[in-house]
Coordinates of all heavy atoms in Angstrom, one line a residue:
M1 N 73.2 98.9 91.3 CA 74.6 99.1 91.7 C 75.4 99.3 90.4 O 75.2 98.6 89.4 CB 75.1 97.9 92.4 CG 76.5 98.0 92.9 SD 76.4 98.5 94.6 CE 78.0 99.0 95.0
N2 N 76.4 100.2 90.4 CA 77.2 100.5 89.2 C 78.4 99.5 89.1 O 79.1 99.3 90.0 CB 77.7 101.9 89.4 CG 78.3 102.4 88.1 OD1 78.5 101.7 87.1 ND2 78.6 103.7 88.0
D3 N 78.5 98.9 87.9 CA 79.6 97.8 87.8 C 80.8 98.4 87.1 O 81.5 97.6 86.5 CB 79.0 96.6 87.0 CG 78.0 95.9 87.8 OD1 78.1 95.8 89.0 OD2 77.1 95.3 87.2
T4 N 81.0 99.7 87.1 CA 82.2 100.2 86.4 C 83.5 99.8 87.2 O 83.5 99.9 88.4 CB 82.2 101.8 86.2 OG1 82.0 102.3 87.5 CG2 81.0 102.2 85.3
P5 N 84.6 99.5 86.4 CA 85.8 99.2 87.2 C 86.3 100.4 87.9 O 86.1 101.5 87.6 CB 86.8 98.8 86.0 CG 85.9 98.5 84.8 CD 84.7 99.3 85.0
L6 N 87.1 100.1 89.0 CA 87.6 101.2 89.8 C 88.5 102.2 89.0 O 88.5 103.4 89.3 CB 88.4 100.6 91.0 CG 89.0 101.5 92.0 CD1 87.8 102.3 92.7 CD2 89.7 100.8 93.1
T7 N 89.2 101.7 88.0 CA 90.1 102.6 87.2 C 89.3 103.6 86.5 O 89.7 104.7 86.2 CB 91.0 101.8 86.3 OG1 90.2 100.9 85.5 CG2 92.0 101.0 87.0
Q8 N 88.1 103.2 86.0 CA 87.3 104.2 85.3 C 86.7 105.2 86.3 O 86.6 106.4 85.9 CB 86.0 103.5 84.7 CG 86.4 102.7 83.5 CD 85.2 102.0 82.8 OE1 84.2 101.9 83.4 NE2 85.4 101.5 81.6
V9 N 86.5 104.9 87.5 CA 86.1 105.8 88.5 C 87.2 106.8 88.9 O 87.0 108.0 89.0 CB 85.5 105.1 89.8 CG1 85.2 106.1 90.9 CG2 84.3 104.3 89.4
L10 N 88.4 106.2 89.1 CA 89.5 107.1 89.5 C 90.2 107.7 88.3 O 90.9 108.7 88.5 CB 90.6 106.2 90.2 CG 90.1 105.5 91.5 CD1 91.2 104.6 92.0 CD2 89.9 106.6 92.5
G11 N 90.0 107.3 87.1 CA 90.6 107.9 86.0 C 91.9 107.1 85.6 O 92.3 107.1 84.4
E12 N 92.6 106.5 86.5 CA 93.8 105.7 86.3 C 94.1 104.9 87.5 O 93.6 105.1 88.6 CB 95.0 106.6 85.9 CG 95.6 107.4 87.0 CD 96.8 108.2 86.6 OE1 97.9 107.6 86.5 OE2 96.6 109.4 86.3
R13 N 95.0 103.9 87.3 CA 95.3 103.0 88.4 C 96.2 103.8 89.4 O 97.1 104.5 89.0 CB 96.1 101.8 87.8 CG 96.4 100.8 88.8 CD 97.0 99.6 88.0 NE 98.4 99.7 87.7 CZ 99.4 99.4 88.5 NH1 99.2 98.9 89.6 NH2 100.6 99.6 88.1
L14 N 96.0 103.5 90.7 CA 96.8 104.1 91.7 C 98.0 103.1 91.9 O 97.8 101.9 92.0 CB 96.0 104.2 93.0 CG 94.9 105.3 93.0 CD1 94.1 105.3 94.3 CD2 95.5 106.6 92.7
I15 N 99.2 103.6 92.1 CA 100.3 102.8 92.3 C 101.0 103.1 93.7 O 100.8 104.1 94.2 CB 101.4 103.0 91.2 CG1 101.8 104.4 91.1 CG2 100.8 102.5 89.8 CD1 103.0 104.7 90.1
D16 N 101.8 102.1 94.2 CA 102.4 102.3 95.5 C 103.7 103.1 95.3 O 104.1 103.4 94.1 CB 102.6 101.0 96.2 CG 103.6 100.0 95.5 OD1 104.3 100.5 94.6 OD2 103.6 98.9 95.8
A17 N 104.4 103.4 96.3 CA 105.6 104.2 96.3 C 106.7 103.6 95.6 O 107.4 104.3 94.8 CB 106.0 104.6 97.8
R18 N 106.9 102.3 95.7 CA 107.9 101.6 95.1 C 107.8 101.6 93.5 O 108.7 101.9 92.8 CB 108.0 100.1 95.5 CG 109.1 99.3 95.0 CD 109.1 97.9 95.5 NE 110.0 97.1 94.8 CZ 109.7 96.5 93.6 NH1 108.5 96.6 93.1 NH2 110.6 95.8 93.0
E19 N 106.6 101.4 93.1 CA 106.3 101.4 91.6 C 106.5 102.9 91.1 O 107.1 103.0 90.0 CB 104.8 101.1 91.3 CG 104.5 99.6 91.4 CD 103.1 99.4 91.1 OE1 102.2 99.6 92.0 OE2 102.7 99.0 90.0
A20 N 106.1 103.9 91.8 CA 106.3 105.3 91.4 C 107.7 105.6 91.4 O 108.2 106.3 90.4 CB 105.5 106.2 92.4
A21 N 108.5 105.3 92.4 CA 109.9 105.5 92.4 C 110.6 104.9 91.2 O 111.5 105.5 90.6 CB 110.5 105.1 93.7
L22 N 110.3 103.6 91.0 CA 111.0 102.9 89.9 C 110.6 103.5 88.5 O 111.4 103.7 87.6 CB 110.6 101.5 89.9 CG 111.2 100.6 91.0 CD1 110.7 99.2 91.0 CD2 112.7 100.6 90.8
A23 N 109.3 103.9 88.3 CA 108.8 104.4 87.1 C 109.4 105.8 86.7 O 109.7 106.1 85.6 CB 107.3 104.5 87.1
L24 N 109.6 106.6 87.7 CA 110.1 108.0 87.5 C 111.5 108.2 88.0 O 112.0 109.3 87.9 CB 109.1 108.9 88.2 CG 107.7 108.9 87.7 CD1 106.8 109.7 88.6 CD2 107.6 109.4 86.2
N25 N 112.2 107.2 88.4 CA 113.6 107.3 88.9 C 113.7 108.3 90.0 O 114.6 109.2 89.9 CB 114.5 107.6 87.7 CG 115.9 107.3 88.0 OD1 116.2 106.4 88.8 ND2 116.8 108.0 87.4
L26 N 112.8 108.2 91.0 CA 112.9 109.1 92.1 C 113.4 108.3 93.3 O 113.2 107.1 93.4 CB 111.4 109.6 92.5 CG 110.8 110.5 91.4 CD1 109.3 110.7 91.8 CD2 111.5 111.8 91.3
P27 N 114.0 109.1 94.3 CA 114.4 108.4 95.5 C 113.1 107.9 96.3 O 112.2 108.6 96.4 CB 115.1 109.5 96.3 CG 115.4 110.5 95.4 CD 114.4 110.4 94.2
L28 N 113.2 106.7 96.7 CA 112.0 106.1 97.4 C 111.6 106.9 98.6 O 110.4 107.1 98.9 CB 112.3 104.6 97.8 CG 111.1 103.8 98.4 CD1 109.9 103.8 97.5 CD2 111.6 102.4 98.7
Y29 N 112.6 107.4 99.4 CA 112.3 108.1 100.6 C 111.5 109.4 100.3 O 110.7 109.8 101.2 CB 113.5 108.4 101.4 CG 114.4 109.5 100.9 CD1 114.2 110.8 101.5 CD2 115.4 109.3 100.0 CE1 115.1 111.8 101.0 CE2 116.2 110.3 99.6 CZ 116.0 111.6 100.1 OH 116.8 112.6 99.6
W30 N 111.6 110.0 99.2 CA 110.8 111.1 98.8 C 109.3 110.8 98.9 O 108.4 111.6 99.3 CB 111.0 111.6 97.4 CG 112.3 112.5 97.3 CD1 113.3 112.6 98.2 CD2 112.7 113.2 96.1 NE1 114.2 113.4 97.7 CE2 113.9 113.8 96.4 CE3 112.1 113.4 94.9 CZ2 114.5 114.6 95.5 CZ3 112.7 114.2 94.0 CH2 114.0 114.8 94.3
L31 N 108.9 109.6 98.5 CA 107.6 109.1 98.5 C 107.1 108.5 99.8 O 105.9 108.6 100.1 CB 107.4 108.1 97.3 CG 107.8 108.6 95.9 CD1 107.9 107.5 95.0 CD2 106.9 109.7 95.4
T32 N 108.0 107.9 100.5 CA 107.6 107.2 101.7 C 107.7 108.0 103.0 O 107.0 107.7 104.0 CB 108.4 105.9 101.9 OG1 109.8 106.3 102.0 CG2 108.2 105.0 100.8
H33 N 108.5 109.1 103.0 CA 108.6 109.9 104.2 C 107.6 111.1 104.2 O 107.7 111.9 103.2 CB 110.0 110.4 104.5 CG 110.9 109.3 104.8 ND1 111.6 108.5 103.9 CD2 111.3 108.9 106.0 CE1 112.3 107.6 104.5 NE2 112.2 107.8 105.8
A34 N 106.8 111.3 105.2 CA 105.8 112.3 105.2 C 106.4 113.7 105.1 O 105.9 114.6 104.4 CB 104.9 112.2 106.4
K35 N 107.5 113.9 105.8 CA 108.2 115.3 105.7 C 108.6 115.6 104.3 O 108.5 116.7 103.9 CB 109.4 115.3 106.6 CG 109.0 115.5 108.1 CD 110.3 115.7 108.9 CE 110.0 116.0 110.4 NZ 111.2 116.2 111.2
E36 N 109.2 114.6 103.6 CA 109.6 114.9 102.2 C 108.4 115.1 101.3 O 108.5 116.0 100.4 CB 110.4 113.7 101.7 CG 111.8 113.5 102.4 CD 112.7 114.7 102.2 OE1 112.8 115.2 101.0 OE2 113.4 115.1 103.1
R37 N 107.4 114.3 101.5 CA 106.2 114.6 100.6 C 105.6 116.0 100.8 O 105.3 116.7 99.9 CB 105.1 113.6 100.9 CG 105.4 112.2 100.4 CD 104.1 111.3 100.4 NE 103.5 111.3 101.8 CZ 103.8 110.4 102.7 NH1 104.8 109.5 102.6 NH2 103.2 110.5 103.9
R38 N 105.6 116.4 102.0 CA 105.1 117.8 102.4 C 106.0 118.8 101.8 O 105.6 119.8 101.2 CB 105.0 118.0 103.9 CG 103.7 117.5 104.4 CD 103.4 118.0 105.8 NE 104.5 117.6 106.8 CZ 104.5 116.5 107.5 NH1 103.6 115.6 107.3 NH2 105.5 116.3 108.3
R39 N 107.4 118.7 102.0 CA 108.4 119.6 101.5 C 108.3 119.8 100.0 O 108.4 120.9 99.5 CB 109.7 119.2 102.0 CG 110.9 120.1 101.6 CD 112.2 119.5 102.0 NE 112.7 118.4 101.3 CZ 113.3 118.4 100.1 NH1 113.5 119.5 99.5 NH2 113.7 117.3 99.6
L40 N 108.1 118.7 99.3 CA 108.2 118.7 97.8 C 106.8 118.9 97.3 O 106.7 119.0 96.0 CB 108.7 117.3 97.4 CG 110.2 117.1 97.7 CD1 110.6 115.6 97.5 CD2 111.1 118.0 97.0
H41 N 105.7 118.9 98.1 CA 104.4 119.1 97.6 C 104.0 118.0 96.6 O 103.4 118.2 95.6 CB 104.1 120.4 97.0 CG 104.5 121.6 97.9 ND1 103.7 121.9 99.0 CD2 105.5 122.4 97.9 CE1 104.2 122.9 99.6 NE2 105.4 123.2 99.0
L42 N 104.3 116.7 97.0 CA 104.0 115.6 96.1 C 102.5 115.2 96.2 O 102.0 115.1 97.3 CB 104.8 114.3 96.6 CG 106.2 114.3 96.1 CD1 107.0 113.2 96.9 CD2 106.3 114.0 94.7
P43 N 101.9 115.1 95.0 CA 100.5 114.6 95.0 C 100.4 113.2 95.4 O 101.1 112.3 94.9 CB 100.1 114.8 93.5 CG 101.4 114.8 92.8 CD 102.5 115.3 93.7
H44 N 99.6 112.9 96.3 CA 99.4 111.5 96.8 C 98.0 111.3 97.4 O 97.3 112.2 97.6 CB 100.5 111.1 97.8 CG 100.4 111.9 99.1 ND1 100.9 113.2 99.2 CD2 99.9 111.7 100.3 CE1 100.7 113.7 100.4 NE2 100.0 112.8 101.1
Y45 N 97.7 110.0 97.6 CA 96.4 109.7 98.2 C 96.5 108.7 99.3 O 97.4 107.8 99.3 CB 95.5 109.0 97.1 CG 95.2 109.9 95.9 CD1 96.1 110.0 94.8 CD2 94.1 110.8 95.9 CE1 95.9 110.8 93.8 CE2 93.9 111.6 94.9 CZ 94.7 111.7 93.8 OH 94.5 112.5 92.8
R46 N 95.7 108.8 100.3 CA 95.6 107.8 101.4 C 94.4 106.9 101.1 O 93.3 107.4 100.9 CB 95.4 108.5 102.7 CG 96.7 109.1 103.2 CD 97.3 108.1 104.2 NE 98.5 108.6 104.7 CZ 99.5 107.8 104.9 NH1 99.4 106.5 104.8 NH2 100.7 108.3 105.3
V47 N 94.6 105.6 101.0 CA 93.6 104.7 100.8 C 93.6 103.8 102.1 O 94.4 102.9 102.2 CB 93.8 103.8 99.6 CG1 92.6 102.9 99.4 CG2 93.9 104.7 98.3
G48 N 92.8 104.2 103.1 CA 92.9 103.6 104.4 C 94.3 103.9 105.0 O 94.7 105.1 105.1
K49 N 95.1 102.9 105.3 CA 96.4 103.1 105.8 C 97.5 103.1 104.7 O 98.7 103.3 104.9 CB 96.8 102.0 106.8 CG 96.0 102.1 108.1 CD 96.5 101.1 109.1 CE 95.7 101.2 110.4 NZ 96.2 100.3 111.4
L50 N 97.0 102.8 103.5 CA 98.0 102.7 102.4 C 98.2 104.1 101.7 O 97.3 104.9 101.7 CB 97.4 101.8 101.3 CG 97.1 100.3 101.8 CD1 96.4 99.6 100.7 CD2 98.4 99.7 102.3
L51 N 99.4 104.3 101.1 CA 99.7 105.5 100.4 C 99.8 105.1 99.0 O 100.5 104.2 98.6 CB 101.1 105.9 100.9 CG 101.6 107.3 100.4 CD1 100.7 108.4 100.9 CD2 103.0 107.5 100.9
R52 N 99.1 105.9 98.1 CA 99.1 105.6 96.7 C 99.3 106.9 95.9 O 99.1 108.0 96.4 CB 97.8 105.0 96.3 CG 97.6 103.6 96.9 CD 98.6 102.6 96.4 NE 98.4 101.3 96.8 CZ 99.1 100.7 97.7 NH1 100.2 101.3 98.2 NH2 98.9 99.5 98.1
F53 N 99.7 106.7 94.6 CA 100.1 107.8 93.7 C 99.4 107.5 92.4 O 99.2 106.4 92.0 CB 101.6 107.9 93.6 CG 102.3 108.1 94.9 CD1 102.7 107.0 95.6 CD2 102.6 109.4 95.4 CE1 103.4 107.1 96.8 CE2 103.3 109.5 96.5 CZ 103.6 108.4 97.3
K54 N 99.2 108.6 91.6 CA 98.8 108.6 90.2 C 100.0 109.0 89.4 O 100.6 110.0 89.6 CB 97.7 109.5 89.9 CG 96.3 109.1 90.4 CD 95.2 110.0 89.9 CE 93.9 109.5 90.4 NZ 92.8 110.4 89.8
L55 N 100.4 108.1 88.5 CA 101.6 108.3 87.7 C 101.6 109.6 86.9 O 102.5 110.4 86.8 CB 101.9 107.1 86.8 CG 103.3 107.0 86.2 CD1 104.4 107.0 87.3 CD2 103.4 105.7 85.4
S56 N 100.4 109.9 86.4 CA 100.2 111.1 85.6 C 100.4 112.4 86.4 O 101.0 113.3 86.0 CB 98.9 111.2 84.9 OG 97.8 111.2 85.9
E57 N 99.9 112.4 87.7 CA 100.1 113.5 88.5 C 101.6 113.7 89.0 O 102.1 114.8 89.0 CB 99.2 113.4 89.8 CG 97.8 113.5 89.5 CD 96.9 113.3 90.7 OE1 97.4 113.0 91.8 OE2 95.7 113.5 90.6
L58 N 102.3 112.6 89.2 CA 103.7 112.7 89.5 C 104.5 113.2 88.3 O 105.4 114.0 88.5 CB 104.2 111.3 90.0 CG 103.7 110.9 91.4 CD1 104.3 109.5 91.7 CD2 104.2 111.9 92.5
S59 N 104.1 112.7 87.1 CA 104.8 113.2 85.9 C 104.6 114.7 85.7 O 105.6 115.4 85.4 CB 104.3 112.5 84.7 OG 104.7 111.1 84.8
A60 N 103.4 115.1 85.9 CA 103.1 116.6 85.8 C 103.9 117.4 86.9 O 104.4 118.5 86.6 CB 101.6 116.8 85.9
W61 N 104.0 116.8 88.1 CA 104.7 117.4 89.2 C 106.2 117.6 88.8 O 106.8 118.7 89.0 CB 104.6 116.6 90.5 CG 105.4 117.0 91.6 CD1 105.3 118.0 92.5 CD2 106.7 116.4 91.9 NE1 106.3 118.1 93.4 CE2 107.2 117.1 93.1 CE3 107.5 115.4 91.4 CZ2 108.4 116.8 93.6 CZ3 108.7 115.1 92.0 CH2 109.1 115.8 93.1
M62 N 106.8 116.5 88.2 CA 108.2 116.6 87.8 C 108.4 117.7 86.7 O 109.4 118.4 86.7 CB 108.6 115.2 87.3 CG 108.8 114.2 88.4 SD 109.3 112.6 87.8 CE 111.0 113.0 87.1
K63 N 107.5 117.7 85.7 CA 107.6 118.7 84.7 C 107.5 120.1 85.3 O 108.3 121.0 84.8 CB 106.5 118.5 83.6 CG 106.8 117.3 82.7 CD 105.6 117.1 81.8 CE 105.8 115.8 81.0 NZ 104.7 115.4 80.3
E64 N 106.6 120.3 86.2 CA 106.5 121.6 86.9 C 107.8 122.0 87.6 O 108.2 123.2 87.5 CB 105.3 121.6 87.9 CG 105.1 122.9 88.6 CD 103.9 122.7 89.5 OE1 102.9 122.2 89.2 OE2 104.1 123.1 90.7
R65 N 108.4 121.1 88.3 CA 109.6 121.3 89.0 C 110.8 121.7 88.0 O 111.6 122.5 88.3 CB 110.0 120.1 89.8 CG 109.2 120.0 91.2 CD 109.7 118.9 92.0 NE 111.1 118.9 92.3 CZ 111.7 119.4 93.4 NH1 110.9 120.0 94.3 NH2 112.9 119.4 93.6
Q66 N 110.8 120.9 86.9 CA 111.9 121.2 85.9 C 111.7 122.6 85.3 O 112.6 123.3 85.0 CB 111.8 120.1 84.8 CG 112.4 118.8 85.3 CD 112.2 117.7 84.4 OE1 111.5 117.8 83.4 NE2 112.8 116.5 84.6
A67 N 110.4 123.0 85.1 CA 110.1 124.4 84.6 C 110.6 125.5 85.6 O 111.1 126.5 85.1 CB 108.7 124.5 84.2
L68 N 110.5 125.2 86.8 CA 110.9 126.2 87.9 C 112.4 126.2 88.0 O 112.9 127.2 88.4 CB 110.2 125.8 89.2 CG 108.7 126.0 89.3 CD1 108.2 125.5 90.6 CD2 108.3 127.4 89.0
R69 N 113.1 125.1 87.8 CA 114.5 125.0 88.0 C 115.3 126.1 87.4 O 116.1 126.7 88.0 CB 115.0 123.7 87.7 CG 116.5 123.4 88.1 CD 116.9 122.0 88.0 NE 116.2 121.2 89.0 CZ 115.9 120.0 88.9 NH1 116.3 119.3 87.8 NH2 115.3 119.3 89.8
P70 N 115.1 126.4 86.0 CA 115.9 127.5 85.4 C 115.7 128.8 86.1 O 116.6 129.6 86.2 CB 115.4 127.5 84.0 CG 114.9 126.1 83.7 CD 114.3 125.6 85.1
A71 N 114.4 129.1 86.5 CA 114.2 130.4 87.1 C 114.9 130.5 88.5 O 115.5 131.5 88.8 CB 112.7 130.6 87.3
D72 N 114.9 129.4 89.2 CA 115.6 129.3 90.5 C 117.1 129.5 90.3 O 117.8 130.3 91.1 CB 115.4 128.0 91.2 CG 114.0 127.8 91.7 OD1 113.3 128.9 91.8 OD2 113.6 126.7 92.0
A73 N 117.7 128.9 89.2 CA 119.1 129.1 89.0 C 119.4 130.5 88.6 O 120.5 131.0 89.0 CB 119.5 128.1 87.8
A74 N 118.6 131.2 87.8 CA 118.8 132.6 87.4 C 118.8 133.5 88.7 O 119.6 134.4 88.8 CB 117.7 133.0 86.4
L75 N 117.9 133.2 89.6 CA 117.8 134.0 90.8 C 119.0 133.8 91.6 O 119.6 134.8 92.2 CB 116.6 133.7 91.6 CG 115.2 134.1 91.1 CD1 114.1 133.6 91.9 CD2 115.2 135.6 91.0
K76 N 119.5 132.6 91.8 CA 120.7 132.3 92.6 C 121.9 133.0 91.9 O 122.7 133.6 92.6 CB 120.9 130.8 92.7 CG 122.1 130.4 93.6 CD 122.2 128.9 93.7 CE 123.2 128.5 94.7 NZ 124.6 128.8 94.4
E77 N 122.0 132.9 90.6 CA 123.1 133.5 89.9 C 123.1 135.0 90.1 O 124.2 135.7 90.3 CB 123.0 133.2 88.4 CG 124.2 133.6 87.6 CD 124.2 133.1 86.2 OE1 123.9 132.0 86.0 OE2 124.3 134.0 85.3
A78 N 122.0 135.7 90.0 CA 121.9 137.1 90.2 C 122.3 137.5 91.7 O 122.9 138.5 91.9 CB 120.4 137.6 90.0
A79 N 121.9 136.6 92.7 CA 122.3 136.9 94.1 C 123.8 136.7 94.2 O 124.4 137.5 94.9 CB 121.5 135.9 95.0
D80 N 124.4 135.7 93.5 CA 125.8 135.5 93.7 C 126.6 136.7 93.1 O 127.6 137.1 93.6 CB 126.2 134.2 92.9 CG 125.7 133.0 93.7 OD1 125.4 133.1 94.8 OD2 125.8 131.9 93.0
V81 N 126.1 137.3 92.0 CA 126.7 138.4 91.3 C 126.7 139.6 92.3 O 127.6 140.4 92.4 CB 126.1 138.8 90.0 CG1 126.6 140.1 89.5 CG2 126.3 137.7 89.0
G82 N 125.6 139.8 93.0 CA 125.5 140.9 94.0 C 126.4 140.8 95.1 O 126.7 141.8 95.7
L83 N 126.9 139.6 95.4 CA 127.8 139.4 96.6 C 129.2 139.8 96.2 O 130.0 140.0 97.1 CB 127.8 137.9 97.0 CG 126.4 137.4 97.6 CD1 126.5 136.0 97.9 CD2 126.2 138.2 98.9
Q84 N 129.6 139.9 95.0 CA 130.9 140.1 94.5 C 131.3 141.6 94.6 O 130.5 142.5 94.6 CB 131.2 139.6 93.1 CG 131.1 138.1 93.1 CD 131.3 137.6 91.6 OE1 131.4 138.4 90.7 NE2 131.3 136.3 91.5

């Protein structure tokens, strides 16, 4: 039997929604409501009935969203100019 700790197998500790929301200053409902998780494409894991997250994956998700935000704003601005 292999005696490696679970964190070595997973690569990092899994945290619950409350810990993730506090660590990244996110609204808790984004993490706890299935519709919000799907809409935002939040990376998460089901461990039995429990919902868990990897902090590194959520951080990468936030950086990806921030990188997309300026492009979205430019598209919206271009659309607004076309309406005038």
